[in-house]
Amino acid sequence: MLHLVFGRSGSGKSQFSLEVAKKAADSGQSAVIIVPEQFTFETEREIVRRFGAKACLNIEVLSFSRLTHRVMSEYGGLACRYIDDCGRNVLMRLALNQIGDMLEVYSRQAKSPAFVKTMVEAVAEYKVCGIDEDMIADAAKKAEGALLRHKLSDIALIMRTYSAMLESKFSDPLDDLTRLAQKLDDCPFFEDKTVVLDGFKGFTPQERAVIGKIFRNAKDVYVTLCAEGLGTRDGAGLFSPVEKTARQLVALANKYGCAVASPEKLDEIYRFNCESLKYLEASVFRPGAAAFEGPAPEIHIVSAGNFYEEAKYIACEITRLIRTKGCRYGEIAVISRGLEQYDGIIDPVFEKYGIPMFYDLRRGIASHPLMALVQSLLSVMSSGFRQEDVLRYLKTGLAGFTVEEVAALENYVLMWDIKGEDKWRQEWRYNPSGFEADTGDSGELERLNMLRNRIYEPIAALKEKMAGSNKARALYEFLCETGVREEVNKACRTLMENGEARLADEYGQIWEKLVSMLDQITLAAGDQTVELSEFASMLSLVIENTDLGSIPPTLDAVTVGDAERIRTGGA
């Protein structure tokens, strides 16, 4: 039976979900709580805090992705090689290279990295919405305008080629929910279980297909929604998108023969312990709401001159709360709808005030020294030792040269205009001191030639190896043999010793991320022979489209996050 539970923000929907699961577990049933991916840890921690560790024996907390893994691990389906975002970009690049001349509208854009990224995102969106290449091809046949018809035909061809290449080598996590829905036709995973879905505003077509199978097998299904009821179909209300989700669930339950109980509504607001915040929650974005009568010391509206002044004010307030109100850092959250605007601003301000912080923002890796080294190294080989590429390679700090050695090399290279592979292969004979009457310091010239050999010889050997088919392996071996891996580990240890936990975590992840990229490129390319320039372009493409997340460096830290993702827990 489907039970819809409605309530506004702070009305205790998540606590209701936990109580339902605990009641089912106490009666001898198994309970499954399904929440968004970012809420699984918080929900598990709340279960342990409220009911004790033994409660976790009969109550499972899963996201849709973890549910897929859980079912597949028990009933089969995990024996596959998964592709990640790196592999998707590489496969799409290879697919477009293969059919670029056959495209009617997008042939000129086929080699553009931006178009590759756009198509990867488009295919992901189509899969989530349950749209395949045949449906797009059918839409192309029915399209009225010639331009639209050609565009849709191109997209269908791109998807068909990409999907064929994907299926021959990988399994895509984006297809997991589709496979899960099919698997639930034959396995009794949800049989006689109580299932609770909490924290969702809506469901994708893939998720709804899975929920339909849950309706068919589970004993009771509870869905909590942040709305005041089923609402109307005019779509003009504050909770209209969530109300539409509720109506979709009712229709889905009817389709699968699942009875629908009368909706429950939670009216009491527990989250706010002051009248001003309760009134704000009940009245905001509601036309005609009257002004709040009475003092509202809990609400402050502050106008700052810029982002830095805003971050400084927040840091001062946090410091005041810690020193005068007895608060802990872990009880404080900073929430923004434009978190990227504060990147590089809020971190140093909080560090200045000694505030431990977990910054819940994924960062791109293109500017990381390791990725800069790899990209500049490939540019050195493909451009024939262009001067700026060599200097960029040396200045990453991971090439195994000291600051003094890099400075000496840069001065000599710029002074005597050292450009091209021939100049780096031949012994340098020019005076390191410039145009002077004497012969200069021969010892310094000898030292510079030793440094030149340390640069040229390994890169020349790598270039020769990369003429073969396994370029990714050759690059990996070069990075290990020249000490780059050890330099990354050394930087990680140094940062940790200096208290830079977040940067140390990034350095700890970055090597494994690079190895994963090289693996995906190797697997995606298969037996195809890829030119050095094409290999460099593919690696640059995946680097530009890859980011890193981080974990909280300590339990007692201020959480800074985006309003769409953050769940404050006890904050």
Side-chain angles (χ1 to χ4, degrees):
M1 179 177 286
L2 170 62
H3 304 262
L4 293 175
V5 182
F6 296 100
R8 300 203 313 268
S9 177
S11 60
K13 297 184 295 298
S14 294
Q15 300 304 318
F16 178 89
S17 300
L18 298 182
E19 293 292 345
V20 166
K22 180 65 165 60
K23 184 178 178 181
D26 289 343
S27 65
Q29 299 177 30
S30 295
V32 176
I33 301 178
I34 302 175
V35 295
E37 190 77 46
Q38 65 269 29
F39 298 161
T40 52
F41 173 74
E42 185 67 36
T43 305
E44 287 176 334
R45 186 168 66 176
E46 186 65 12
I47 289 174
V48 173
R49 188 186 70 82
R50 293 191 60 184
F51 308 129
K54 287 186 177 180
C56 295
L57 296 175
N58 293 319
I59 302 175
E60 282 192 272
V61 178
L62 303 169
S63 61
F64 276 104
S65 61
R66 289 174 65 177
L67 172 63
T68 302
H69 187 276
R70 175 76 173 81
V71 173
M72 297 292 185
S73 63
E74 186 168 339
Y75 297 96
L78 284 180
C80 54
R81 178 185 288 137
Y82 278 111
I83 194 172
D84 59 16
D85 286 338
C86 302
R88 291 189 190 99
N89 280 283
V90 172
L91 269 188
M92 184 60 73
R93 175 69 177 251
L94 293 172
L96 288 170
N97 286 347
Q98 186 173 318
I99 61 167
D101 295 337
M102 301 166 62
L103 301 176
E104 298 182 72
V105 178
Y106 296 118
S107 58
R108 293 180 61 186
Q109 292 88 353
K111 291 188 179 296
S112 164
F115 185 70
V116 173
K117 181 182 178 182
T118 299
M119 286 309 304
V120 169
E121 292 172 349
V123 170
E125 189 74 18
Y126 293 146
K127 288 190 175 187
V128 168
C129 295
I131 300 172
D132 60 25
E133 54 268 26
D134 292 332
M135 297 168 68
I136 296 177
D138 290 340
K141 294 174 183 177
K142 299 174 184 176
E144 296 182 0
L147 180 59
L148 177 59
R149 183 167 60 255
H150 292 322
K151 283 185 175 181
L152 291 173
S153 297
D154 281 0
I155 292 172
L157 177 59
I158 293 169
M159 280 189 69
R160 187 169 286 111
T161 308
Y162 171 80
S163 297
M165 297 176 71
L166 176 65
E167 289 169 6
S168 66
K169 300 172 182 178
F170 297 99
S171 180
D172 193 345
L174 294 172
D175 296 322
D176 276 356
L177 287 180
T178 301
R179 295 195 299 127
L180 175 61
Q182 296 168 352
K183 179 69 71 173
L184 289 175
D185 284 331
D186 306 317
C187 70
F189 180 79
F190 287 105
E191 194 170 300
D192 295 327
K193 288 185 178 180
T194 296
V195 181
V196 182
L197 290 99
D198 179 49
F200 294 96
K201 294 184 292 186
F203 301 98
T204 66
Q206 282 183 315
E207 290 169 344
R208 288 201 296 270
V210 173
I211 293 171
K213 305 303 171 62
I214 296 174
F215 285 160
R216 191 169 63 188
N217 296 323
K219 181 180 179 182
D220 287 293
V221 181
Y222 291 81
V223 183
T224 63
L225 295 168
C226 187
E228 295 180 318
L230 289 170
T232 61
R233 297 180 180 273
D234 59 9
L238 181 61
F239 299 109
S240 290
V242 184
E243 291 165 353
K244 180 181 178 181
T245 297
R247 292 193 295 272
Q248 287 174 337
L249 291 173
V250 170
L252 193 62
N254 293 331
K255 175 183 176 181
Y256 282 92
C258 176
V260 181
S262 298
E264 299 181 53
K265 186 181 178 189
L266 307 177
D267 293 311
E268 186 67 28
I269 303 298
Y270 300 99
R271 179 171 297 163
F272 311 112
N273 55 10
C274 58
E275 293 302 317
S276 58
L277 286 173
K278 284 184 180 179
Y279 188 83
L280 179 64
E281 186 279 329
S283 306
V284 70
F285 303 127
R286 293 179 184 270
F292 177 70
E293 299 292 339
E298 301 83 7
I299 301 174
H300 302 266
I301 299 176
V302 179
S303 176
N306 51 52
F307 291 131
Y308 179 81
E309 292 298 324
E310 190 177 354
K312 187 176 178 182
Y313 170 80
I314 293 169
C316 290
E317 274 298 294
I318 292 172
T319 304
R320 181 184 68 81
L321 291 171
I322 297 297
R323 292 178 179 177
T324 65
K325 300 295 184 181
C327 294
R328 296 181 64 87
Y329 290 114
E331 298 171 337
I332 300 172
V334 179
I335 303 173
S336 170
R337 283 200 177 276
L339 199 58
E340 296 81 4
Q341 300 173 91
Y342 297 89
D343 193 22
I345 298 175
I346 202 167
D347 335 31
V349 170
F350 276 34
E351 183 179 351
K352 178 181 177 182
Y353 282 80
I355 299 172
M357 174 188 71
F358 167 52
Y359 201 3
D360 187 19
L361 179 68
R362 298 189 67 86
R363 290 178 168 86
I365 64 172
S367 59
H368 191 280
L370 178 60
M371 298 303 167
L373 179 138
V374 171
Q375 289 183 289
S376 58
L377 174 62
L378 294 173
S379 296
V380 167
M381 291 186 290
S382 57
S383 68
F385 282 73
R386 192 169 52 188
Q387 190 179 89
E388 51 266 37
D389 293 330
V390 177
L391 293 177
R392 184 182 174 218
Y393 167 75
L394 294 173
K395 290 180 179 180
T396 58
L398 300 175
F401 296 84
T402 65
V403 174
E404 292 76 13
E405 289 171 338
V406 172
L409 282 164
E410 182 177 21
N411 287 339
Y412 191 87
V413 164
L414 294 176
M415 180 188 302
W416 294 109
D417 196 25
I418 305 297
K419 295 178 181 178
E421 186 171 354
D422 288 342
K423 291 281 187 75
W424 282 91
R425 181 171 54 250
Q426 298 167 3
E427 183 179 354
W428 291 343
R429 300 182 182 277
Y430 303 115
N431 189 345
S433 301
F435 294 100
E436 294 184 359
D438 56 36
T439 57
D441 187 355
S442 60
E444 177 64 13
L445 184 59
E446 184 179 348
R447 186 174 79 96
L448 287 170
N449 272 300
M450 289 176 62
L451 295 175
R452 175 189 61 79
N453 283 331
R454 282 175 55 195
I455 297 168
Y456 175 75
E457 290 180 359
I459 296 178
L462 173 63
K463 186 175 181 180
E464 186 176 340
K465 285 183 181 179
M466 294 193 80
S469 58
N470 202 334
K471 292 179 172 56
R473 183 179 182 84
L475 178 59
Y476 172 80
E477 290 175 349
F478 171 88
L479 296 176
C480 292
E481 291 168 1
T482 55
V484 173
R485 181 175 186 175
E486 182 53 38
E487 289 290 335
V488 172
N489 293 336
K490 180 180 171 183
C492 183
R493 291 192 296 270
T494 302
L495 289 167
M496 187 60 74
E497 290 168 2
N498 293 337
E500 297 284 354
R502 183 180 64 79
L503 285 175
D505 179 54
E506 285 186 11
Y507 269 83
Q509 294 183 61
I510 198 72
W511 177 263
E512 297 303 324
K513 183 65 73 173
L514 176 60
V515 172
S516 175
M517 288 179 188
L518 296 177
D519 284 344
Q520 291 280 312
I521 290 175
T522 302
L523 293 169
D527 298 330
Q528 296 185 49
T529 301
V530 180
E531 296 296 325
L532 176 59
S533 58
E534 179 64 17
F535 177 82
S537 297
M538 287 194 295
L539 189 55
S540 295
L541 176 67
V542 297
I543 287 173
E544 291 294 334
N545 292 298
T546 302
D547 52 27
L548 285 180
S550 58
I551 60 174
T554 176
L555 285 175
D556 192 24
V558 175
T559 300
V560 181
D562 189 91
E564 291 295 321
R565 286 172 44 86
I566 194 170
R567 191 164 192 169
T568 55

